[in-house]
Amino acid sequence: MIRSLRLALCALAFAFVCPAMAAGKDDVSITADLAQQGPKIDRNIFGQFAEHLGRGLYEGVWVGPDSKIPNTRGIRNDVVAALKAIKVPNVRWPGGCFADEYHWRNGIGPRDKRPPTLNPNWGGVIEPNTFGTHEFMDFVQQIGADAYISINVGSGTPAEAADWLEYLTTPQPTALAKERAANGHPAPYPVALLGIGNESWGCGGSMTPDEYVNHLKVYARYARNYNAAQPMRRIAVGPDGADTGYTEAVMKAWKNKTWAWDIEGLSLHSYTVVKWPPSFKATGFGESEYATILKATLNMESLVSTHSAVMDQYDPDRKIALVVDEWGAWLAPTPGSPEGFLEQQNSQRDALVAALNLNIFARHAARVRAANIAQMVNVLQAMIFTRQEKMVLTPTYHVFHMYVPFQDATLVPLQFQAGSWKAGDVELPRVDAIAARDAAGKLWVALTNLDPGRVARIDLTLPGKPVTRANGQVLAAPKMDSVNSFEAPAVVAPKPYAAKVTGKRVAAELAPASITVIGLE
Ligand code: AHR
């Protein structure tokens, strides 16, 4: 009890240091290999996912132009401002499972004439189609992100997908371009990423890998981008977790492809879920559940390595990106929330889940060149919760904010022994870390202390680089399951942090279960 109280006070007061928690002999030494130039950390690994699911888009993004909630053309201003601040590089839409049942024509034209349809995947609710193509493109333009559109392979046709792409991207005065202009947008839209189906091994059609490859070749040929100003990367459906069947089949087909089709990416979906149906509590958990979830999330390392190794066999030059376009914690739903809406609270543990995954993607930056956390607002491991006119930022949001300097930065390899700690039978590393140099040459380090019970003292050596200042932010919390709520929105919020600098060494003390990002000058 006294220990937890001390930890809670320490975490709260952790703006600078917490000397009472000195760990001495367990210091973790980290050396940055400044002579080595790593790959670029593609800003697209910080992508978001927005599906027609629960309150993710309706209320979370779209309130309509007549709403009392301040909005721009129906899109809520508070959510746009928050997303702009984390520099969202791309948003994947309209799903998810929803995408393979989505017919784009239902979502264009006058909003009061659009047909209500059904959303059988997510609560069986009515889909009003008021948020459609133009609303989505307006939204991504408002937040400064690229569009990642997922086309319907499961229940659509190649002609439907081809028409949608022509409608979106052609600058020529075709009938579809004229229809787009009549609907308010004469200029072609930019589509940066195109998903060719979603989970075609599951909700997207239960296809075998070879069945999917047959579809892929057709859609990759006909769903054309006509907007020369915006190159479009086509992303094939890839593996479900560790199963390499899709990876093998798609990469083999790509290696033997003809001139008539091509792809630029392969998708991987993997949630931190432990077991189905998702039953781990979002709050009110103990050290054992905390450790089990973190252990499960660290499995991303082995998944990315496994699929990268298969891809290397067919594509040693790494032309095809591995795109982890669904990841995040999938926990037990919030009690009382509507069935199928996938609403869950977001705690300091989720912040660590985010940081650990982003670190894995960054270390694999040569192959992992895009990723999308599921999902952006009100669904699963969300950045933002809304309740009518109120908005709250989650601990996960703060991690994305703190990691902005890593967008398009160059990875700097780190050497360190992470140490370990145990909760029952579950053994985990004590710390995790990445470093990168931004475009201006400034070095950034992100340090995660996984241990919820002990401060981690870091001794960071930067050979050949004298440092004068090491300032940044720390995200710590009174408890590992602390959350932000509408009533108390800033329980988990970043605080300024200053590490101690001596010549080429930096000494940092990391609060229990915390994330610290430091810029070195
Ligand atoms: O993110 C929720 C769902 O999870 C997506 O719709 C689907 O692709 C995945 O199974």
Side-chain angles (χ1 to χ4, degrees):
M1 175 66 188
I2 288 176
R3 182 174 177 251
S4 357
L5 187 62
R6 201 164 62 129
L7 288 173
L9 290 172
C10 177
L12 272 178
F14 215 79
F16 291 93
V17 288
C18 191
M21 303 303 297
K25 64 184 170 48
D26 316 309
D27 286 10
V28 176
S29 298
I30 301 180
T31 305
D33 197 347
L34 298 173
Q36 292 237 18
Q37 168 106 343
K40 185 177 88 168
I41 302 169
D42 195 314
R43 60 194 288 267
N44 283 299
I45 71 164
F46 299 93
Q48 298 288 330
F49 174 31
E51 181 165 13
H52 287 242
L53 195 175
R55 298 185 306 118
L57 285 164
Y58 296 113
E59 188 194 311
V61 170
W62 178 259
V63 287
D66 301 330
S67 170
K68 289 199 190 84
I69 299 171
N71 69 82
T72 302
R73 295 181 293 281
I75 294 163
R76 52 190 301 164
N77 294 344
D78 52 356
V79 168
V80 166
L83 293 172
K84 273 172 95 167
I86 58 170
K87 297 192 188 305
V88 175
N90 74 79
V91 182
R92 180 170 178 254
W93 174 85
C97 297
F98 181 84
D100 277 300
E101 298 191 44
Y102 183 60
H103 300 288
W104 67 274
R105 281 204 157 277
N106 293 335
I108 58 166
R111 280 192 283 272
D112 58 353
K113 302 247 172 2
R114 295 186 195 171
T117 52
L118 286 171
N119 190 340
N121 286 292
W122 307 120
V125 297
I126 297 268
E127 164 57 50
N129 284 304
T130 39
F131 191 86
T133 299
H134 291 262
E135 290 76 14
F136 173 68
M137 297 307 296
D138 188 12
F139 166 64
V140 287
Q141 284 174 2
Q142 286 191 36
I143 66 168
D146 284 340
Y148 178 176
I149 287 195
S150 207
I151 52 175
N152 179 346
V153 171
S155 69
T157 63
E160 183 186 20
D163 281 355
W164 197 10
L165 267 290
E166 185 188 319
Y167 180 89
L168 280 159
T169 65
T170 187
Q172 301 202 62
T174 66
L176 283 164
K178 286 179 185 164
E179 192 178 357
R180 182 188 68 222
N183 286 332
H185 208 274
Y189 285 117
V191 177
L193 293 151
L194 186 80
I196 303 183
N198 170 74
E199 299 192 354
S200 303
W201 33 262
C203 67
S206 298
M207 300 177 204
T208 64
D210 289 343
E211 283 167 352
Y212 173 69
V213 165
N214 289 336
H215 283 77
L216 172 66
K217 290 175 183 171
V218 175
Y219 280 82
R221 168 100 186 122
Y222 298 119
R224 290 187 173 99
N225 171 36
Y226 297 98
N227 186 345
Q230 172 61 71
M232 182 181 85
R233 290 193 279 165
R234 287 155 291 187
I235 315 301
V237 171
D240 169 20
D243 188 339
T244 55
Y246 263 64
T247 316
E248 287 277 0
V250 172
M251 293 306 295
K252 190 171 168 196
W254 175 80
K255 186 156 194 250
N256 299 320
K257 75 182 162 58
T258 65
W259 60 270
W261 69 280
D262 206 348
I263 53 169
E264 290 76 26
L266 179 79
S267 141
L268 161 66
H269 287 186
S270 176
Y271 285 93
T272 299
V273 66
V274 184
K275 61 180 176 181
W276 293 97
S279 55
F280 271 63
K281 286 194 284 182
T283 57
F285 50 80
E287 203 164 292
S288 158
E289 294 99 320
Y290 169 89
T292 305
I293 286 286
L294 293 194
K295 179 120 189 153
T297 224
L298 288 172
N299 190 45
M300 183 64 84
E301 169 63 41
S302 121
L303 289 180
V304 168
S305 299
T306 300
H307 295 294
S308 295
V310 175
M311 294 173 82
D312 286 348
Q313 288 168 27
Y314 298 98
D315 173 29
D317 298 333
R318 296 175 174 155
K319 290 188 174 137
I320 306 291
L322 185 58
V323 176
V324 191
D325 51 12
E326 285 188 33
W327 67 272
W330 192 327
L331 306 170
T334 303
S337 60
E339 174 96 25
F341 276 28
L342 311 188
E343 295 189 3
Q344 63 188 44
Q345 244 301 357
N346 194 296
S347 71
Q348 178 70 4
R349 181 183 62 183
D350 296 286
L352 272 89
V353 165
L356 295 172
N357 279 286
L358 292 171
N359 292 356
I360 293 166
F361 303 152
R363 280 192 286 265
H364 287 271
R367 181 65 85 177
V368 179
R369 299 199 288 273
N372 301 76
I373 189 168
Q375 297 192 8
M376 189 174 67
V377 187
N378 290 333
V379 176
L380 297 176
Q381 190 175 343
M383 307 299 108
I384 293 171
F385 296 142
T386 61
R387 190 201 283 160
Q388 292 167 7
E389 76 289 355
K390 290 189 178 167
M391 179 187 85
V392 68
L393 305 175
T394 67
T396 300
Y397 174 93
H398 293 307
V399 172
F400 274 71
H401 201 194
M402 289 163 68
Y403 270 61
V404 164
F406 291 92
Q407 294 199 9
D408 282 344
T410 304
L411 187 76
V412 172
L414 295 178
Q415 280 146 24
F416 60 97
Q417 297 293 328
S420 66
W421 65 279
K422 274 181 104 170
D425 294 338
V426 183
E427 186 165 354
L428 284 163
R430 279 184 72 208
V431 298
D432 192 33
I434 57 162
R437 222 186 268 285
D438 68 17
K442 184 169 173 178
L443 193 63
W444 293 87
V445 187
L447 302 159
T448 300
N449 179 6
L450 286 75
D451 188 334
R454 267 194 314 168
V455 163
R457 292 167 68 104
I458 305 291
D459 178 14
L460 173 65
T461 308
L462 304 158
K465 181 174 168 56
V467 178
T468 49
R469 278 171 9 127
N471 293 343
Q473 288 190 309
V474 56
L475 190 71
K479 296 185 293 166
M480 61 188 139
D481 68 340
S482 293
V483 299
N484 293 334
S485 63
F486 296 101
E487 294 70 35
V491 174
V492 186
K495 293 192 172 57
Y497 182 88
K500 202 170 152 206
V501 172
T502 342
K504 292 166 193 159
R505 298 176 82 156
V506 176
E509 294 196 3
L510 311 180
S514 71
I515 299 123
T516 306
V517 173
I518 307 171
L520 303 160
E521 290 164 283

